[in-house]
Amino acid sequence: MKLKNKIHYILLCAGLFVFTNCADDLNVAPEGDIMTEQQKEDLYKLEAEKMQADVNGLYSALIKYGLISDWYGGTAHFDFGFAAACMMYDASCMDMPSEYTGYNWFRSPLEFGDRIPESSTTYFLWYTFYTHLKTANDILKVAIKGTDNDTYKGFRGQALASRAFDYLNLIQAYQFTYKGHESDKGVPIVTEDMTDEDISNSPRATVQQVYDLIIADLTEAISLLSADRADKGRINVNVAYGLRARAYLNMEMWKEAAADAEKAMSGYTPYSIADVSKPTFNNISASSWIWGCAVTENNDIVQSGIINFPAHMCSFTGNGYAPGYAGRYINSTLWNAIPETDVRKGWWTDEDEYSPNVDWTWKIQYQGDYYNIAEWEGWQAPYLNVKFGAYQDLYDNGTNACDFPLMRAEEMHLIKAEGLAMGGDVAGGKTALEAFVKAYRNPSYVCKATTAQQLQDEVWFQRRIELWGEGFSLFDAKRLKKPIERVGTNFPENLRYNLPAEAPILLWNIPQDEIQTNKGIPESENNPTIPKPSV
């Protein structure tokens, strides 16, 4: 497809808020008189009402429809927000095989054919997160540090945590893990105090510098936020703790990661065994969801019909690419390693295309014949995912208004276990892991690890199962410096190859547009362009 109308981040920075930018200015009225406290509160309220739209934009951007349509020359069917980025991450690893067909809109990251500066994937990722953090920066220009207004504190905390979220994604997509790469070139840092000229001449900051900003933003956000919020689609203090736990995990600050994970999951309970004995992971109201994308029937991605997460991932949808055209499967080797006593084995179909989690009594009549859900939706192969339920849990529902999980209590339990073990308390980590798995997934579970490294590997195994399809697999493999192993699995034959740990092709290239318009990044400082691997 011809690519046109390319846009650069700097163009987004032209229309900033024309709001007060200095706390001292709020003390002086236009006539030069000292403002009363009531006058200051009235001004705060007026500006807060104007700023609320941008705060709302922090969350609507995560489910944005058609973000790069002008650049792409039409609407790409992967252009539906953060959930699409997660599918790109997972497609580029080893745990989510899918069909190698023209209907698979994530075929390019699946085959590593998108590791070039001109790829639509890299442009989507770059534009998604830099657009989002531009909104955060707009808010931070107004909700300045040191404000004593509670509304502004809440806005500032959400903006800081959102910017940290963006940089956590960017730095992991465009560079290897923190440990051992602290001095390597990461991504440009763009903050609220930078001018257009600064942004257009912004070099790649080091990995260390990016993480310093992430930790600083989240630490301040934690000091500003509380557990209260309007809904779980918004960031509160639990989310900020959870994001910092992820960052500390990458930095191998083990004790800090465990402590933050404990605080993040306060008040949230993992899905029970009964909860996940059927297709689910589609409703933000679940007790385990700390943060999620709240999706309604009126959202553009739902009105589009098939440009949304369920259309590509849910095997029960009545309207989409999945599963008849481009199903999502689990790596057969990983599935075979899941114990029969673990309820999660039923999150995918077996060799006979059966899962105990599926309601096989469901039937639909067509031209005098009856079909079960697998027959009707065209399930084509074993190991198909049945993890993600259809909207309102109705099989063959053509309305794809499912919510998407951004952070769950289960992830925090696993971070806590790994952090404790790697931080020197192997027994404590083992106890935490066993308690979680036995209570919520496999009553027969016994952790056999006896060393910190063994327990870390066991947590990684649990993460590969528990967080499958939620965008963690590639970043985990990079963080733990694991090879990508597809040989001997159910990947398409032309994609059954192995890649060594930290293979250069695991990094996306910085988009060509950024290289051409940002004087701070010469072409020589882009990530290397690597030919896609072959069998």
Side-chain angles (χ1 to χ4, degrees):
M1 180 173 292
K2 184 176 179 180
L3 306 180
K4 64 181 182 179
N5 299 329
K6 297 185 178 181
I7 303 170
H8 178 247
Y9 170 82
I10 189 174
L11 299 179
L12 300 171
C13 301
L16 302 178
F17 278 113
V18 187
F19 288 152
T20 302
N21 198 32
C22 178
D24 292 339
D25 292 344
L26 289 175
N27 293 319
V28 182
E31 297 81 6
D33 298 330
I34 302 299
M35 294 183 71
T36 67
E37 290 301 316
Q38 184 58 52
Q39 287 173 319
K40 285 196 289 184
E41 285 302 313
D42 289 345
L43 182 56
Y44 272 128
K45 182 178 179 181
L46 176 62
E47 294 187 349
E49 290 173 352
K50 295 176 181 177
M51 194 167 26
Q52 183 67 60
D54 258 25
V55 176
N56 293 343
L58 288 174
Y59 306 110
S60 62
L62 297 178
I63 54 172
K64 177 70 174 176
Y65 167 77
L67 181 69
I68 64 167
S69 58
D70 286 342
W71 177 86
Y72 192 80
T75 302
H77 286 207
F78 58 71
D79 195 355
F80 50 84
F82 179 68
C86 291
M87 292 189 68
M88 291 169 178
Y89 301 152
D90 283 336
S92 295
C93 200
M94 59 183 170
D95 289 340
M96 197 171 78
S98 56
E99 278 95 359
Y100 188 76
T101 69
Y103 288 106
N104 186 352
W105 279 83
F106 297 87
R107 184 178 73 256
S108 187
L110 179 71
E111 65 174 349
F112 297 99
D114 58 350
R115 268 47 174 197
I116 57 174
E118 305 86 3
S119 85
S120 56
T121 303
T122 193
Y123 193 83
F124 173 80
L125 293 173
W126 192 270
Y127 196 45
T128 292
F129 296 114
Y130 274 108
T131 302
H132 191 243
L133 71 85
K134 187 264 179 185
T135 301
N137 282 338
D138 283 352
I139 295 167
L140 295 172
K141 282 178 175 289
V142 184
I144 60 175
K145 189 170 185 177
T147 179
D148 59 357
N149 180 276
D150 288 341
T151 300
Y152 275 42
K153 286 181 180 179
F155 287 167
R156 182 172 178 83
Q158 292 175 75
L160 288 165
S162 293
R163 186 167 71 182
F165 169 79
D166 294 325
Y167 275 116
L168 266 174
N169 279 276
L170 286 164
I171 195 59
Q172 293 182 90
Y174 292 95
Q175 192 46 268
F176 291 114
T177 191
Y178 176 89
K179 205 66 174 179
H181 297 278
E182 295 91 336
S183 299
D184 290 354
K185 294 183 182 298
V187 293
I189 288 177
V190 180
T191 56
E192 74 276 15
D193 55 351
M194 293 174 66
T195 65
D196 289 355
E197 184 177 353
D198 293 333
I199 296 168
S200 66
N201 190 21
S202 181
R204 296 180 70 177
T206 66
V207 173
Q208 174 79 58
Q209 290 169 329
V210 175
Y211 272 91
D212 284 347
L213 176 64
I214 290 169
I215 296 300
D217 279 357
L218 290 171
T219 299
E220 185 184 349
I222 287 167
S223 73
L224 298 172
L225 296 169
S226 69
D228 296 332
R229 55 183 165 176
D231 57 73
K232 288 200 289 185
R234 297 176 182 269
I235 291 173
N236 70 350
V237 71
N238 297 74
V239 175
Y241 272 123
L243 292 173
R244 197 170 70 172
R246 291 176 181 175
Y248 279 144
L249 197 70
N250 292 347
M251 300 170 75
E252 298 188 6
M253 297 178 65
W254 307 114
K255 294 179 182 179
E256 292 84 352
D260 275 1
E262 181 72 39
K263 293 171 183 175
M265 63 177 142
S266 176
Y268 298 88
T269 306
Y271 281 112
S272 69
I273 290 176
D275 291 334
V276 295
S277 293
K278 58 183 181 297
T280 184
F281 300 95
N282 57 356
N283 194 319
I284 199 171
S285 66
S287 62
S288 79
W289 287 34
I290 300 172
W291 185 31
C293 290
V295 180
T296 71
E297 295 182 19
N298 295 322
N299 289 132
D300 288 343
I301 58 172
V302 179
Q303 291 295 308
S304 76
I306 58 175
I307 308 178
N308 48 60
F309 181 75
H312 294 268
M313 182 66 85
C314 177
S315 298
F316 302 93
T317 180
N319 186 21
Y321 291 102
Y325 300 103
R328 311 292 158 182
Y329 306 89
I330 188 173
N331 181 315
S332 54
T333 301
L334 177 60
W335 186 85
N336 284 319
I338 303 173
E340 296 293 335
T341 53
D342 193 320
V343 67
R344 293 172 296 188
K345 200 162 184 103
W347 291 1
W348 301 273
T349 60
D350 62 17
E351 297 89 340
D352 298 320
E353 300 183 22
Y354 171 82
S355 165
N357 292 14
V358 175
D359 178 10
W360 295 104
T361 66
W362 184 92
K363 302 288 182 184
I364 192 168
Q365 186 178 19
Y366 179 71
Q367 294 184 349
D369 294 322
Y370 286 89
Y371 301 86
N372 64 29
I373 189 64
E375 294 164 339
W376 182 248
E377 301 298 352
W379 296 5
Q380 296 180 355
Y383 313 115
L384 180 71
N385 106 81
V386 291
K387 174 181 177 179
F388 296 95
Y391 180 51
Q392 297 177 334
D393 299 321
L394 299 175
Y395 287 9
D396 199 41
N397 193 337
T399 302
N400 291 320
C402 301
D403 301 328
F404 180 75
L406 298 174
M407 183 181 295
R408 295 194 283 119
E410 292 87 345
E411 178 202 354
M412 295 300 122
H413 277 278
L414 294 170
I415 290 178
K416 177 184 174 181
E418 182 178 352
L420 287 173
M422 296 300 290
D425 184 4
V426 177
K430 183 174 181 176
T431 297
L433 182 61
E434 284 189 337
F436 162 65
V437 178
K438 287 174 71 72
Y440 299 104
R441 298 296 180 261
N442 180 7
S444 301
Y445 178 73
V446 176
C447 178
K448 298 179 181 179
T450 58
T451 68
Q453 184 61 59
Q454 288 174 351
L455 198 135
Q456 184 182 53
D457 285 341
E458 176 61 19
V459 170
W460 178 47
F461 174 72
Q462 296 295 331
R463 287 176 66 94
R464 292 174 69 188
I465 303 168
E466 182 67 37
L467 303 176
W468 183 94
E470 297 177 47
F472 291 91
S473 63
L474 178 64
F475 292 168
D476 275 349
K478 292 170 71 173
R479 174 176 69 87
L480 297 169
K481 301 180 180 179
K482 301 291 186 181
I484 306 301
E485 298 179 336
R486 294 178 172 184
V487 173
T489 71
N490 55 325
F491 269 85
E493 289 186 10
N494 63 316
L495 304 178
R496 291 178 190 170
Y497 43 69
N498 294 341
L499 299 173
E502 300 197 324
I505 202 168
L506 297 181
L507 303 181
W508 275 282
N509 290 143
I510 292 173
Q512 184 180 49
D513 286 9
E514 183 71 17
I515 298 295
Q516 291 175 343
T517 56
N518 183 349
K519 293 176 289 186
I521 310 178
E523 287 189 19
S524 60
E525 292 188 1
N526 203 344
N527 292 330
T529 300
I530 309 294
K532 64 183 180 181
S534 60
V535 176

